[in-house]
C-alpha cells in the first residue's frame, strides 16, 4: 500500500471517529441539558405550552415569544402533543432536544455533500468542512436548546447548497419554485431568513448579466420571490392588518431589556476587539460589553453568555484556550474570502458570488440589528449560524492547503486543530467536565442574573 493510500485510509478512520464523537456529544447534551436554561427558553416553552390547548396564533403581546414567526413552534407542537398522548411527558424535553440536534446534524450532512461536489477528489477538504461545523461551539451548544436558530440554519444551508449545486447551469423555473419554498419557510422561521433571498437573487442576476441574457433570470427570481412571500409573508401581513406593524419592535412585554447595558452603540464598538475577548470571555466584561465583534467571537467559539456552560473559573480558562486556537480556522476563513473575492471578479455569478453575497448581507444585517438594539444580549454568534455553508467551504479550502505544507508547519497546524477538537469535546460535553446549574451570564463582579433577552430578528 502506497503512502497516498495509507493517508487516505487514516483520514477516513479519523473522520468517522470524529463524526461519531460529534454525534455522541449531541446525544449526551440533549439528554442532559436543562431546556429552561436556553436563549428565550421560558418564553419559547410558554409558546409551545399554549399550542397544547389551542392552535390559534397568539397576539404578539400575549407572551414573551409570541411575536416570533410561527414555523418553529407549530412544527414542534405536534411532536409535543404526540409524546404527551403516549405518556412520555417525563421524557418530552430531552426528546425534543434530540430532534433539534438531529436537525442540526443535517446541516453538517449538507456541508459535506457540497464540499464533496466542489472537490470530489479531496477527502481532506470534505472531512474538514464537516468537522468545522460538527465541532463549532455555537452549533454544539445551540443544538439542544428549544429555539429556532438550528432550524433556520438548516433551511438557509439547504437553499445555498441547492443554488450552488446547480451551478454553472443557469437557474430554471423549478429552481425558483423550490428555492422560493425553502426561503418562505426560512422567513416563517425568522425575519433574517429573508437575507438569503437577496444573496441568491444577486447571484442569479450577475450570472445572467455575464452570459448576456439578463432576461433569463427574471422568471426564476420572480417565482422565488413570489413563493417566499406567499409561504412566509402572510405572517407579517397578519401582523400589519391585526396590529398595525409588520414586525414587532419595542413591545411593552419586552421593556425589561431596555434597561440592559450598554444602552447605546458607537462606531468604535464595531472597530475595537479588546484583549478581554481572550482573557475574560464573558459578554458583561466592561471591555467586551461595548465590543460587537469581540463579544460575537466569544459566543461563536465559546459560550460568552454562559447559557450552556457554568459561571466558573474553569469554564473561563477553557474559553481563553479555545478562543486562541480558533484564530486558525477564522484566519483560514478570511483568506478563503479573499480568494473567493478574486475568483468572483473574474467569474461573476458563480459560487463565490453566492458565498460573498451571503456573508456581506448577513454581517451588514447583524451590524444594523445590534446598532438598533444596543444591549449585550443581542450579541450572539447563533445569529450567524446561517453562514455555516460559506464558512465551511472557504475555511476548509484554505486549511486543506495549509495542512499539506511540508515539514513541521503542516503538522503544527494539524495539532492545533486536533487540540481544539479535544477541548471542544471535553468542555461542551455536559457532565464530562462541567455541569450546568446556574442561569446565564452574571454581571461582571456581581451576582445578579441576566434578565430575559430580547426577541431576535
Amino acid at each position: 500500500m502506497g503512502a497516498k493510500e495509507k493517508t487516505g485510509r487514516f483520514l477516513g478512520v479519523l473522520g468517522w471517529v470524529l463524526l461519531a464523537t460529534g454525534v455522541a456529544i449531541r446525544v449526551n447534551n440533549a439528554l442532559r441539558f436543562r431546556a429552561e436554561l436556553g436563549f428565550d427558553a421560558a418564553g419559547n416553552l410558554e409558546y409551545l405550552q399554549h399550542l397544547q390547548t389551542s392552535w390559534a396564533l397568539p397576539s404578539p403581546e400575549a407572551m414573551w415569544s409570541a411575536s416570533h414567526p410561527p414555523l418553529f413552534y407549530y412544527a414542534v407542537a405536534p411532536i409535543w402533543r404526540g409524546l404527551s398522548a403516549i405518556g412520555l411527558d417525563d421524557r418530552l424535553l430531552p426528546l425534543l432536544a434530540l430532534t433539534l440536534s438531529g436537525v442540526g446534524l443535517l446541516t453538517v450532512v449538507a456541508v459535506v455533500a457540497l464540499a464533496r461536489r466542489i472537490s470530489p477528489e479531496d477527502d481532506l477538504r470534505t472531512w474538514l468542512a464537516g468537522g468545522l461545523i460538527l465541532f463549532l461551539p455555537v452549533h454544539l451548544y445551540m443544538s439542544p436548546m428549544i429555539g429556532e436558530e438550528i432550524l433556520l440554519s438548516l433551511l438557509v444551508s439547504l437553499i445555498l447548497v441547492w443554488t450552488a449545486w446547480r451551478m454553472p447551469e443557469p437557474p430554471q423555473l423549478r429552481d425558483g419554485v423550490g428555492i422560493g419554498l425553502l426561503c418562505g419557510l426560512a422567513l416563517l422561521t425568522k425575519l433574517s431568513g429573508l437575507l438569503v433571498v437577496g444573496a441568491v437573487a444577486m447571484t442569479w442576476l450577475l450570472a445572467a448579466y455575464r452570459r448576456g441574457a439578463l432576461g433569463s433570470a427574471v422568471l426564476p427570481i420572480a417565482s422565488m420571490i413570489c413563493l417566499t412571500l406567499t409561504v412566509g409573508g402572510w405572517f407579517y401581513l397578519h401582523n400589519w392588518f391585526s396590529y398595525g406593524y409588520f414586525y414587532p419592535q419595542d413591545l411593552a412585554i419586552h421593556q425589561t431589556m431596555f434597561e440592559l447595558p450598554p444602552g447605546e452603540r458607537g462606531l468604535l464598538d464595531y472597530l475595537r476587539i479588546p484583549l478581554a475577548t481572550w482573557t475574560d470571555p464573558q459578554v458583561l466584561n466592561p471591555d467586551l460589553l461595548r465590543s460587537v465583534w469581540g463579544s460575537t467571537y466569544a459566543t461563536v467559539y465559546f459560550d460568552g453568555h454562559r447559557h450552556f456552560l457554568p459561571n466558573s473559573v474553569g469554564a473561563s480558562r477553557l474559553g481563553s484556550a479555545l478562543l486562541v486556537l480558533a484564530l486558525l480556522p477564522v484566519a483560514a476563513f478570511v483568506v478563503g474570502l479573499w480568494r473567493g473575492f478574486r475568483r468572483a471578479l473574474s467569474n461573476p455569478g458563480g459560487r463565490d458570488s453566492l458565498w460573498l453575497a451571503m456573508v456581506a448581507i448577513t454581517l451588514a444585517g447583524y451590524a444594523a440589528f445590534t446598532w438598533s438594539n444596543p444591549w449585550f444580549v443581542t450579541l450572539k454568534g447563533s445569529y450567524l449560524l446561517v453562514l455555516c455553508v460559506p464558512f465551511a467551504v472557504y475555511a476548509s479550502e484554505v486549511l486543506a492547503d495549509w495542512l499539506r505544507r511540508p515539514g513541521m508547519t503542516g503538522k503544527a497546524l494539524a495539532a492545533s486543530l486536533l487540540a481544539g477538537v479535544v477541548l471542544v469535546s471535553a468542555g461542551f460535553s455536559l457532565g464530562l467536565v462541567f455541569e450546568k446549574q446556574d442561569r446565564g451570564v452574571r454581571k461582571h463582579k456581581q451576582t445578579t442574573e441576566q434578565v430575559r433577552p430580547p426577541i431576535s430578528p
Side-chain angles (χ1 to χ4, degrees):
M1 182 182 297
K4 186 175 181 180
E5 288 78 7
K6 289 181 179 178
T7 300
R9 176 172 292 186
F10 172 76
L11 279 176
V13 172
L14 179 61
W16 285 109
V17 169
L18 292 177
L19 175 61
T21 302
V23 172
I25 292 172
R26 285 166 172 79
V27 172
N28 171 76
N29 292 347
L31 297 178
R32 288 175 175 269
F33 185 68
R34 292 166 53 196
E36 71 273 14
L37 297 181
F39 294 123
D40 280 344
N44 293 347
L45 292 172
E46 185 182 15
Y47 196 151
L48 289 171
Q49 288 170 344
H50 161 77
L51 294 179
Q52 302 314 297
T53 57
S54 171
W55 290 112
L57 198 66
S59 162
E61 293 275 13
M63 60 192 80
W64 184 267
S65 297
S67 56
H68 293 180
L71 178 63
F72 167 77
Y73 303 95
Y74 280 81
V76 171
I79 301 175
W80 189 316
R81 286 194 175 195
L83 292 174
S84 297
I86 59 176
L88 291 178
D89 300 79
D90 59 332
R91 304 306 298 163
L92 180 63
L93 293 178
L95 287 173
L96 287 179
L98 277 172
T99 301
L100 290 172
S101 297
V103 169
L105 286 171
L106 291 177
T107 300
V108 178
V109 173
V111 164
V112 168
L114 181 62
R116 173 64 69 182
R117 183 171 179 84
I118 294 173
S119 302
E121 303 300 323
D122 195 342
D123 292 341
L124 176 59
R125 182 181 182 182
T126 300
W127 286 115
L128 282 169
L132 285 165
I133 307 302
L134 195 64
F135 292 95
L136 185 66
V138 65
H139 196 276
L140 269 171
Y141 73 69
M142 291 301 299
S143 289
M145 292 188 184
I146 310 299
E148 64 270 33
E149 302 290 356
I150 288 294
L151 175 60
L152 179 67
S153 176
L154 172 62
L155 290 170
V156 172
S157 296
L158 292 176
I159 293 164
L160 294 174
V161 169
W162 183 330
T163 306
W165 200 277
R166 295 277 290 120
M167 292 177 177
E169 296 297 322
Q172 305 296 317
L173 176 60
R174 63 178 180 272
D175 297 311
V177 171
I179 291 173
L181 175 60
L182 289 174
C183 289
L185 294 176
L187 178 59
L188 203 55
T189 303
K190 288 191 75 171
L191 178 60
S192 54
L194 191 62
L195 300 177
V196 70
V197 178
V200 174
M202 288 172 59
T203 303
W204 282 351
L205 282 172
L206 279 172
Y209 178 78
R210 178 173 55 84
R211 292 193 304 269
L214 198 57
S216 66
V218 172
L219 188 58
I221 292 175
S223 61
M224 175 181 66
I225 293 175
C226 287
L227 262 294
T228 298
L229 296 178
T230 300
V231 174
W234 66 264
F235 171 71
Y236 302 91
L237 285 177
H238 165 78
N239 282 344
W240 174 259
F241 288 115
S242 299
Y243 310 109
Y245 49 72
F246 284 111
Y247 183 74
Q249 181 77 12
D250 300 338
L251 297 179
I253 195 172
H254 302 128
Q255 63 183 340
T256 53
M257 70 180 179
F258 304 147
E259 301 175 1
L260 296 178
E264 61 180 2
R265 296 205 193 281
L267 181 60
L268 286 178
D269 296 340
Y270 292 84
L271 301 176
R272 188 174 62 88
I273 299 179
L275 186 60
T277 303
W278 293 271
T279 59
D280 185 25
Q282 58 152 322
V283 289
L284 276 179
N285 178 286
D287 289 333
L288 267 180
L289 189 63
R290 301 203 64 91
S291 173
V292 171
W293 301 116
S295 290
T296 302
Y297 180 64
T299 58
V300 170
Y301 278 98
F302 185 56
D303 177 21
H305 285 280
R306 301 298 199 279
H307 274 265
F308 184 89
L309 294 175
N311 292 286
S312 69
V313 174
S316 293
R317 289 174 177 170
L318 170 72
S320 296
L322 283 176
L323 291 165
V324 170
L325 292 172
L327 292 172
L328 175 58
V330 170
F333 176 55
V334 172
V335 173
L337 281 173
W338 174 245
R339 290 184 183 180
F341 177 73
R342 294 176 62 183
R343 289 192 296 259
L345 290 178
S346 60
N347 182 32
R351 288 173 179 146
D352 288 295
S353 296
L354 178 64
W355 311 143
L356 292 168
M358 188 63 198
V359 171
I361 292 173
T362 300
L363 294 183
Y366 181 72
F369 173 68
T370 54
W371 180 276
S372 60
N373 294 271
W375 305 289
F376 76 93
V377 289
T378 62
L379 301 177
K380 294 177 183 175
S382 59
Y383 294 162
L384 302 182
L385 280 172
V386 293
L387 297 180
C388 280
V389 170
F391 169 69
V393 167
Y394 279 142
S396 64
E397 174 192 353
V398 177
L399 284 173
D401 290 344
W402 287 355
L403 291 176
R404 291 190 175 99
R405 289 181 177 179
M408 292 302 298
T409 301
K411 293 179 181 178
L413 295 175
S416 176
L417 289 175
L418 286 175
V421 168
V422 170
L423 288 180
V424 168
S425 300
F428 286 88
S429 298
L430 285 177
L432 186 60
V433 176
F434 300 112
E435 286 284 355
K436 176 63 174 175
Q437 299 296 332
D438 51 53
R439 294 187 62 84
V441 70
R442 297 176 184 274
K443 290 185 178 180
H444 193 57
K445 296 183 179 178
Q446 297 180 18
T447 58
T448 304
E449 292 185 343
Q450 176 187 330
V451 300
R452 285 174 172 175
I455 55 174
S456 51

